[in-house]
Amino acid sequence: MTVFGVVVLPITIKTFQFLPDRGYGFSKPLGLVLIGLVTWLLGFLHFSALTIILAVVLISGFSFWLWMKYKEEILGVLRERKGYVLVVELFFVFLFLLFAFFRMYNSDILGTEKFMDMAFLNAITRSPAFPPYDPWLSGAFSISYYYFGYFLMALLLKLSGTAPAIGFNLSLAMLFALSGISVFTVIYNLTRRLAFAFGGWAFIYMLGNLDGFRQVLTTRSIGNFNWWTPSRVVADTINEFPFFSFLLGDMHPHMLAVPFILIGLGLALNHLLSPDREITIKAPEQLARFSLWGIIIGSLGFLNSWDLPAVFFIAVLSIFFQQYRQRVDWKVYPWKGMGLGIAVMTALMIIPYIPFYISFQSQAKGIAWTTQNTRVNDFLLIFGLFTFMVLTFIMARYHTWFVTILTGPQKVMPEELPMKKFCAQCGSHLREGKFICGKCGYQAAATKQMDMAQPLIRPISELPRWVSAFFRFVLQPLTVLKNKESRQPAWIALGLLVVIGLAVVLKMVFFGAENNPQPIMLGLALFFIFSIGFLLAAKIDKPETVFILVLLLTAGLLVFGCETLHINDTFNPPLDRMNTVFKFFYMTWFLLGLAAVYGVAWTFQFSMRNTNLKVVWLLPMVLLIAASLVYPYASVMIKTNHFSNRATLDGSDYLRRSYPADRAGIEWLRKSVRGNPVVLEATGGEYTDFARVSTFTGLPTVLGWGGHELQWRGNYDEPGKRIPDIDTLYGSEDIELTRTLIEKYNIVFVFVGTLERQKYPGKQLDKFGRFMEKVFEHPGGVVIYRRR
């Protein structure tokens, strides 16, 4: 992974040219996705370690060209930021080792979706070309799922030669490190403070929701803590959050996509920080920026399709507001340039990934209205801490504009300041003899005098007139209403309130359901959206704040969407919006989390100047943080049995205890079999130990978990046909019929193990020995037959 990061470093530094760290923290996940994309495209011809090396060479060639062209600039960036580079590298290694240590005591690839994840990882690693075959549905069936995240992890396994059962846990550790360093990078570039970057990572990744604290209050005990229920707060839905996801250890798409979501957000921030007055794809740097942006957002459709619309929406808003902040007259906007930029982005979102969409089948059948609603208290159990911090920030922003209206623009004038040494990047005072900034990690700049004569707020004269009138109405409604010339904002406010009320009433009347909470959350989400909209319209000076408001607007729309619509999949009411809430609330956690951390930084810097007020504000925040820490502590102790479990990174180690004979057979298949012949094993219910052979070998079987095939393909036609055939293969004594079915499914190996003997007791299992070659036998009762 470090090599991948170095390979794309010139691309990173040139693309993220407006970020304080020049995107250095994104280099590793960016290298992985670019090398992965090229490898995947080449993989339609052939996939092997040589394919990966060829992709590395191709990307390296382009990076080398950039290096030769901009060598001095790139070296200058690295020299200036060498302290920051060291911090990022050490933090990355720390995150990787931290999670690897945790997985040593919680390593089992067992339960929930881990069998599916391991089966995909193994099958992709073994596939000679793409699309990869489906390990749970043999024949001419490829994986019908957004599998790019599994492929990226399989790429690392294949290149390093790591055993898949160990590689599964190392992949989780790598994902934890990539996600963590990406969050760290976004927050650092927003605040330019290492303290906020570290703290922000901890806020987003190391805290639980408040349901853990509620549980302890209810049971008055931490010894029988239920680590599972905080992920099911909203009835009939899934409400995962990062700590739970990594604790659970399902290497699923919503986790695999996170580093690349954050790269997309980093590109949005980079664009908002751009001083470009014109948007034109004729400028090579702008064309490259839009192209890479499109590739990253497009990868999300392949990683976790649910994330693509939100990140694309954020990108479009960022392109618009980058110009909105700089212009007054709508007529002089570079509409053509912005449109062409978005067109280039859209093309690169689709074209490289066409091979995936050609073979992709989905259970989704469109969008439908939902009858379900979220209780306000349930929402606060999930997002309570972030909500408090975000609302504080929003209130502080409104207060800023109110003060502007009442008193005019305010300035803090400087005192006579002595000449001191300050960091060129963040302006922090450097102690005597220090050459690396302790707050942001940058190399110290030349001595200069700190400029404190900066306006705290933007002059009222620079606000759009209609926005100023609306703020004045909110602050002084009676005064504005008396002035007949200024009643327009009153009508706007009234109209918005009517829309909110009408939305709530319509949901109650047309989509009410028995025992369903009232749609109050729907109204609050709309109110939140409108409130953010007016702040965005105010042409705020700091582009970082505009970026955060764009994230908050998107978060509000996601919550509103979950209260009104759902993806129409295989689940019926009341489970109709289970996946919708799951995926969109997961994205909302990151959007609100980033906004909350920035909001605290902004409030400390610009708003909370009164000590008493600061104490009053900090007290509930500290209490909420303490309550959010209950879940991480209690759940880790339960999952690791207080770190007394056997320490290993081998995720199949539990098979030694539960199925020692089966494990021996699985290992024989994994090491001895070349190619990808079909292996027959018994099929059973989902989330059971059935499909263990295909899962841990990656070899295709006739049918694994049938219910998952239904979800992936949207129908049960093929799995439904295969279940009785498998029953016949194992349960019938008719040798000719058995041979016919073996030929039908092109079965090469038959696995007779513990579960097969439990499900099909009797001597009929011995029939395979009459016409097949016995190639493996274990005293524990496991026999493997090979077709002659």
Side-chain angles (χ1 to χ4, degrees):
M1 185 60 66
T2 300
V3 172
F4 286 2
V6 172
V7 164
V8 302
L9 200 52
I11 300 173
T12 307
I13 290 175
K14 287 303 298 177
T15 303
F16 293 92
Q17 58 184 312
F18 304 113
L19 293 186
D21 80 337
R22 297 296 290 264
Y24 183 85
F26 293 128
S27 60
K28 290 179 179 63
L30 183 62
L32 179 60
V33 73
L34 292 181
I35 291 170
L37 176 60
V38 175
T39 303
W40 176 71
L41 291 172
L42 293 173
F44 281 86
L45 300 175
H46 176 69
F47 178 52
S48 68
L50 289 176
T51 314
I52 304 169
I53 293 171
L54 177 59
V56 172
V57 170
L58 292 173
I59 297 294
S60 298
F62 179 70
S63 277
F64 183 72
W65 175 77
L66 282 178
W67 167 264
M68 295 304 294
K69 190 173 182 179
Y70 301 102
K71 181 177 180 180
E72 292 305 318
E73 178 187 349
I74 294 169
L75 283 174
V77 168
L78 295 175
R79 288 193 199 102
E80 185 181 336
R81 294 159 175 79
K82 59 186 179 184
Y84 175 80
V85 168
L86 180 62
V87 169
V88 168
E89 293 300 327
L90 290 175
F91 188 51
F92 179 76
V93 173
F94 166 77
L95 292 177
F96 180 80
L97 295 178
L98 175 68
F99 194 78
F101 174 78
F102 165 73
R103 285 301 295 180
M104 286 171 62
Y105 293 93
N106 183 37
S107 62
D108 292 350
I109 302 172
L110 177 66
T112 54
E113 303 290 355
K114 295 181 189 64
F115 265 31
M116 167 193 162
D117 302 329
M118 183 62 178
F120 279 2
L121 193 66
N122 255 324
I124 293 170
T125 305
R126 297 186 69 109
S127 290
F130 296 140
Y133 63 84
D134 187 338
W136 283 355
L137 199 67
S138 62
F141 293 94
S142 59
I143 292 175
S144 182
Y145 200 62
Y146 21 82
Y147 64 83
F148 195 43
Y150 299 104
F151 165 73
L152 294 179
M153 295 300 109
L155 182 150
L156 295 175
L157 266 65
K158 198 172 187 72
L159 194 58
S160 65
T162 307
I166 296 173
F168 182 93
N169 285 317
L170 290 180
S171 295
L172 284 171
M174 179 56 68
L175 183 60
F176 184 77
L178 289 173
S179 303
I181 207 67
S182 299
V183 165
F184 173 92
T185 301
V186 172
I187 297 172
Y188 174 81
N189 285 297
L190 282 167
T191 64
R192 305 188 185 190
R193 295 290 191 275
L194 286 175
F196 279 113
F198 286 122
W201 163 79
F203 262 56
I204 293 172
Y205 265 92
M206 300 305 287
L207 294 182
N209 63 31
L210 296 173
D211 189 65
F213 180 65
R214 179 205 60 78
Q215 183 185 148
V216 171
L217 283 181
T218 303
T219 62
R220 298 183 180 181
S221 171
I222 205 168
N224 58 348
F225 188 81
N226 188 328
W227 61 272
W228 177 265
T229 54
S231 70
R232 301 299 190 271
V233 174
V234 179
D236 302 312
T237 70
I238 301 171
N239 324 122
E240 284 193 25
F241 47 93
F243 194 93
F244 174 88
S245 299
F246 281 99
L247 179 84
L248 178 64
D250 283 1
M251 192 165 55
H252 236 42
H254 63 287
M255 293 168 60
L256 290 161
V258 170
F260 313 103
I261 292 171
L262 293 162
I263 294 177
L265 299 186
L267 285 164
L269 176 59
N270 180 65
H271 187 80
L272 279 167
L273 289 167
S274 165
D276 296 336
R277 288 281 296 176
E278 298 296 328
I279 302 293
T280 172
I281 59 173
K282 294 180 180 179
E285 290 185 348
Q286 291 194 33
L287 178 60
R289 196 187 313 154
F290 283 118
S291 299
L292 183 63
W293 212 348
I295 289 171
I296 294 300
I297 297 175
S299 73
L300 295 176
F302 195 1
L303 282 156
N304 185 36
S305 302
W306 302 79
D307 298 325
L308 187 149
V311 180
F312 179 68
F313 179 73
I314 290 169
V316 172
L317 287 186
S318 300
I319 292 169
F320 171 76
F321 282 107
Q322 189 267 345
Q323 290 295 307
Y324 177 75
R325 292 177 55 252
Q326 302 182 67
R327 300 177 184 274
V328 177
D329 191 349
W330 291 84
K331 297 179 182 179
V332 298
Y333 275 56
W335 295 110
K336 182 179 178 181
M338 289 193 291
L340 288 174
I342 294 171
V344 168
M345 183 191 305
T346 304
L348 269 297
M349 285 167 50
I350 298 171
I351 294 173
Y353 305 100
I354 286 176
F356 163 68
Y357 291 110
I358 288 175
S359 61
F360 180 61
Q361 292 177 293
S362 174
Q363 61 173 315
K365 306 177 184 67
I367 298 174
W369 299 102
T370 180
T371 61
Q372 309 304 310
N373 299 312
T374 303
R375 299 179 190 274
V376 176
N377 59 321
D378 289 343
F379 182 86
L380 292 178
L381 280 175
I382 301 171
F383 299 111
L385 173 61
F386 294 160
T387 300
F388 173 79
M389 297 162 73
V390 164
L391 291 181
T392 298
F393 169 63
I394 294 172
M395 292 168 63
R397 289 303 300 141
Y398 269 96
H399 176 261
T400 298
W401 293 115
F402 293 160
V403 171
T404 305
I405 291 169
L406 292 176
T407 63
Q410 305 293 308
K411 289 186 177 182
V412 176
M413 301 306 296
E415 303 291 340
E416 292 296 324
L417 295 177
M419 295 298 286
K420 294 182 179 180
K421 199 171 188 180
F422 293 93
C423 174
Q425 180 59 48
C426 69
S428 301
H429 174 225
L430 296 167
R431 289 182 291 172
E432 191 69 27
K434 297 293 183 182
F435 298 97
I436 299 296
C437 178
K439 287 198 173 181
C440 74
Y442 278 35
Q443 188 176 10
T447 302
K448 67 174 184 177
Q449 185 167 354
M450 189 70 168
D451 181 14
M452 297 289 290
Q454 298 295 329
L456 297 180
I457 51 179
R458 194 166 180 170
I460 189 71
S461 59
E462 296 184 27
L463 275 171
R465 183 177 299 177
W466 67 276
V467 178
S468 176
F470 182 81
F471 283 138
R472 189 179 296 277
F473 169 72
V474 173
L475 182 63
Q476 300 171 319
L478 295 178
T479 302
V480 170
L481 287 174
K482 289 179 181 178
N483 184 353
K484 295 181 180 180
E485 297 179 0
S486 302
R487 290 183 179 176
Q488 183 180 5
W491 286 109
I492 292 174
L494 180 62
L496 295 180
L497 291 175
V498 169
V499 168
I500 293 171
L502 193 60
V504 172
V505 170
L506 287 175
K507 182 72 186 289
M508 292 171 63
V509 172
F510 292 101
F511 300 102
E514 188 178 356
N515 299 322
N516 197 22
Q518 298 299 324
I520 306 301
M521 200 63 226
L522 183 149
L524 292 176
L526 272 178
F527 186 81
F528 181 82
I529 292 167
F530 295 145
S531 301
I532 298 298
F534 281 104
L535 288 177
L536 270 172
K539 294 184 185 288
I540 296 170
D541 282 340
K542 289 175 69 66
E544 294 90 345
T545 306
V546 177
F547 172 75
I548 289 301
L549 292 174
V550 167
L551 298 192
L552 288 175
L553 180 66
T554 307
L557 288 168
L558 289 176
V559 173
F560 174 73
C562 290
E563 299 305 302
T564 53
L565 304 168
H566 72 94
I567 301 298
N568 192 10
D569 51 24
T570 59
F571 296 99
N572 297 315
L575 301 175
D576 55 345
R577 65 171 191 155
M578 180 179 71
N579 279 321
T580 303
V581 170
F582 174 20
K583 298 301 178 76
F584 288 153
F585 270 31
Y586 202 75
M587 169 71 82
T588 301
W589 180 279
F590 286 93
L591 299 181
L592 289 182
L594 291 171
V597 173
Y598 179 81
V600 170
W602 190 95
T603 304
F604 261 115
Q605 187 175 1
F606 296 114
S607 185
M608 291 288 179
R609 300 186 177 277
N610 182 285
T611 303
N612 293 331
L613 181 61
K614 188 176 293 186
V615 170
V616 171
W617 172 61
L618 282 174
L619 182 60
M621 187 168 73
V622 169
L623 292 175
L624 286 170
I625 292 172
S628 300
L629 285 169
V630 170
Y631 181 84
Y633 172 77
S635 60
V636 165
M637 291 299 105
I638 293 292
K639 285 288 282 181
T640 64
N641 196 19
H642 293 264
F643 290 95
S644 64
N645 293 338
R646 182 175 183 270
T648 177
L649 282 172
D650 184 355
S652 66
D653 186 68
Y654 76 94
L655 290 173
R656 297 180 192 274
R657 305 185 300 271
S658 302
Y659 304 100
D662 295 66
R663 177 189 165 90
I666 288 169
E667 283 299 301
W668 183 88
L669 285 169
R670 195 178 71 80
K671 294 177 180 179
S672 304
V673 174
R674 297 291 175 264
N676 298 298
V678 178
V679 178
L680 175 67
E681 62 176 319
T683 187
E686 295 182 274
Y687 308 112
T688 66
D689 292 345
F690 284 96
R692 69 211 179 285
V693 178
S694 51
T695 293
F696 285 99
T697 64
L699 296 171
T701 192
V702 177
L703 181 63
W705 287 356
H708 274 56
E709 292 292 346
L710 166 64
Q711 293 182 48
W712 299 335
R713 303 180 187 281
N715 65 75
Y716 203 64
D717 298 342
E718 190 63 28
K721 297 174 185 175
R722 297 191 177 201
I723 292 175
D725 284 348
I726 295 172
D727 288 338
T728 300
L729 279 162
Y730 278 112
S732 172
E733 295 182 357
D734 189 331
I735 292 179
E736 289 305 315
L737 179 58
T738 303
R739 279 183 168 180
T740 301
L741 290 175
I742 284 176
E743 290 177 3
K744 175 182 178 180
Y745 292 109
N746 195 26
I747 296 167
V748 177
F749 292 94
V750 173
F751 192 96
V752 178
T754 305
L755 296 182
E756 287 74 23
R757 295 190 186 279
Q758 288 177 1
K759 187 170 183 178
Y760 305 100
K763 295 184 178 181
Q764 74 275 8
L765 294 177
D766 297 334
K767 67 178 180 290
F768 296 109
R770 301 177 191 174
F771 63 95
M772 300 183 79
E773 179 186 3
K774 185 186 295 184
V775 292
F776 176 87
E777 185 171 13
H778 189 278
V782 172
V783 182
I784 300 176
Y785 299 94
R786 181 169 58 196
R787 182 180 175 185
R788 289 193 178 96

